[in-house]
Amino acid sequence: MRQLVASAATLCLLVAMVAPNSNQVTGLEACAANDSPDCSLYGTGLYKTGESAASVDDTFRGPTGTLEVPQRFLMGPGPGNANPRILAAQTLPLLGHMHPPFLAIMDEIQAGLRYLFQTSSNYTLLASGTGHAGMEMAVANLLEPGDTVLVGVNGIWGERVADMAERFGTKVVTLHTEAGTALSLADLTAAVELHRPALLFLTQGESSTGVRQSLAGVGELCRRNGALLLVDAVASLGGVPLFADAWQIDAVYSGSQKCLSAPPGAAPLMLNERAMAKVRGRSSKVRSYYFDLLLVGDYWGWYGSRSYHHTGMVSMWYAVREALAIVSEEGLEAGWRRHEAAHRQLWEGLSQLGLEPFVAEERDRLATVNTIKVPAGVDWAALCKHALDVYAVEVSGGLGPTAGKVWRVGLMGYNAKPANVELVLAAFRSGLALQGFKGGISAAAASA
């Protein structure tokens, strides 16, 4: 055997001499260079398929060691802090994504989503991805090339849906309202009757502006005019009232990382029978294979069977199942009241500091994401940095139409409790004092 190894090593050297100008290192050369006894077994080992070997480049090797993450209070527009019970659920053993015990967990999730959405529809699921996945799944399935979609824009999410719908070949009509205001039913009625869209899109909880869009009468409006109603409830579901069936909402999606207090990565979605009739009656294939509800829905058992579509996000589904259990144990109305109480507590404290809401009409203020006007002369970013550095509290600046104009404070799910609100108020009190802000004016503004 030693003679065979030696002979193989000699052969490796001969091959190298015959082809001195080759830019590739063959598997045999690698054996010779390392004086490896495996050289005699070349063709059955690591390089058995005949690819050329090369030296491993360690330049970017890593990471190593155990991951460490700082503890922070995520009081911005999301994600929020996850309930420890939900995090613990993600440490449970993995199951196969088609195993009966895992399919049973998916069934529990669907039932929990029916309660959360307040619907009797069988068509509930989790899209594999963040809230954007729910958005794209809804748009991709409910709209076809040539359809007209009317998009209510009162912040960044209407703009995002308009962009997305255009990419799917639809005719997009936008209805704008000033940032910090909600769309009126009168304006919606006029636009729907004028444009006769296949679908109307509205954002219930606009996290970029802090507006809560009233859905009163909108479902009836859509039914009268043959349109579907699609609602974005990413920043509102579980934090403010939503009744999908009673309000005649045809499709609605959300995200796991807001009021459900789970990590980002799952998008709750609901379609009713009207919406499913649109999906089934399409004249063209859904342009996204990954988000095709005729396929994904079958994985979730929508059509009386269970077939593989993609690998379900096992640990993520554990987390959402646990989040839905927490919602059910508290009760929806109790949860809504808790979010409203945190919202009022925050504004009582902010008012005492001389701060004002960005959303003028109280009825239009979103309890889960609160927008606060930045006073003249105050550095909004410096206050955010101070809150994070000193209090480990994240509060955010504006987004889209509110960039540089507001702070955004999230009171969602696990974070909607008195102690967290008091911590936010302490961070604001301290940060404003450092900038010389007193009541309605800062020292910088006073000296200007």
Side-chain angles (χ1 to χ4, degrees), residues 41-406:
L41 301 178
Y42 184 77
T44 63
L46 284 176
Y47 302 102
K48 61 185 177 182
T49 54
E51 297 98 340
S52 61
S55 298
V56 173
D57 184 352
D58 284 338
T59 303
F60 303 105
R61 186 172 182 170
T64 59
T66 303
L67 177 66
E68 295 183 7
V69 178
Q71 177 63 51
R72 287 175 173 160
F73 296 90
L74 304 179
M75 305 301 293
N81 292 98
N83 188 308
R85 176 176 160 184
I86 295 171
L87 294 178
Q90 291 192 293
T91 68
L92 295 171
L94 290 177
L95 290 169
H97 59 283
M98 296 298 292
H99 288 188
F102 184 64
L103 297 180
I105 291 170
M106 293 172 69
D107 291 341
E108 284 192 306
I109 290 169
Q110 289 182 291
L113 290 177
R114 290 184 195 109
Y115 176 66
L116 186 64
F117 285 123
Q118 285 295 282
T119 183
S120 61
S121 173
N122 289 325
Y123 306 115
T124 59
L125 57 68
L126 295 176
S128 297
T130 60
H132 276 86
M135 176 190 289
E136 186 149 347
M137 182 174 276
V139 170
N141 284 269
L142 296 177
L143 291 170
E144 292 194 77
D147 281 348
T148 296
V149 56
L150 176 61
V151 179
V153 179
N154 61 348
I156 191 174
W157 303 117
E159 295 174 353
R160 194 69 55 90
V161 165
D163 184 335
M164 192 176 290
E166 186 177 25
R167 292 167 187 252
F168 282 98
T170 64
K171 178 184 177 183
V172 178
V173 178
T174 55
L175 179 62
H176 291 259
T177 187
E178 185 179 352
T181 65
L183 291 154
S184 71
L185 182 59
D187 287 343
L188 288 168
T189 300
V192 167
E193 292 179 349
L194 174 63
H195 297 288
R196 298 288 176 176
L199 182 144
L200 169 65
F201 169 85
L202 292 174
T203 306
Q204 185 191 30
E206 178 48 79
S207 60
S208 69
T209 61
V211 169
R212 175 179 170 182
Q213 173 65 50
S214 172
L215 299 173
V218 180
E220 295 93 327
L221 168 66
C222 289
R223 298 287 172 101
R224 288 196 310 268
N225 291 275
L228 295 173
L229 174 58
L230 170 62
V231 173
D232 178 317
V234 172
S236 57
L237 186 67
V240 303
L242 184 141
F243 297 90
D245 286 358
W247 293 354
Q248 299 182 331
I249 299 170
D250 297 301
V252 56
Y253 63 87
S254 188
S256 57
Q257 75 276 22
K258 308 277 187 171
C259 298
L260 286 179
S261 296
L269 176 76
M270 185 283 296
L271 275 70
N272 66 10
E273 289 289 351
R274 292 182 79 237
M276 281 306 301
K278 171 69 173 183
V279 175
R280 290 191 179 102
R282 291 177 60 96
S283 59
S284 61
K285 272 189 175 183
V286 174
R287 292 191 175 186
S288 168
Y289 181 90
Y290 191 64
F291 291 138
D292 186 342
L293 283 173
L294 293 178
L295 302 175
V296 183
D298 196 49
Y299 177 41
W300 283 85
W302 282 11
Y303 313 117
S305 61
R306 300 299 273 263
S307 62
Y308 168 75
H309 175 259
H310 68 283
T311 302
M313 300 173 70
V314 177
S315 296
M316 189 67 232
W317 285 188
Y318 294 168
V320 177
R321 183 270 176 204
E322 206 67 11
L324 292 169
I326 292 169
V327 169
S328 296
E329 290 161 13
E330 181 180 22
L332 272 176
E333 288 186 319
W336 296 337
R337 286 194 295 269
R338 177 168 55 82
H339 283 84
E340 181 65 20
H343 168 71
R344 294 192 178 280
Q345 179 188 353
L346 176 69
W347 279 107
E348 286 174 7
L350 293 174
S351 297
Q352 292 173 8
L353 295 176
L355 297 176
E356 299 177 353
F358 178 72
V359 181
E361 295 290 342
E362 184 177 357
R363 69 174 183 272
D364 296 335
R365 292 174 196 158
L366 181 61
T368 55
V369 180
N370 299 263
T371 45
I372 306 152
K373 284 184 181 178
V374 177
V378 171
D379 185 337
W380 68 267
L383 186 140
C384 291
K385 184 177 185 304
H386 175 77
L388 196 60
D389 291 347
V390 177
Y391 292 86
V393 169
E394 178 199 57
V395 296
S396 299
L399 177 67
T402 61
K405 300 177 183 178
V406 305

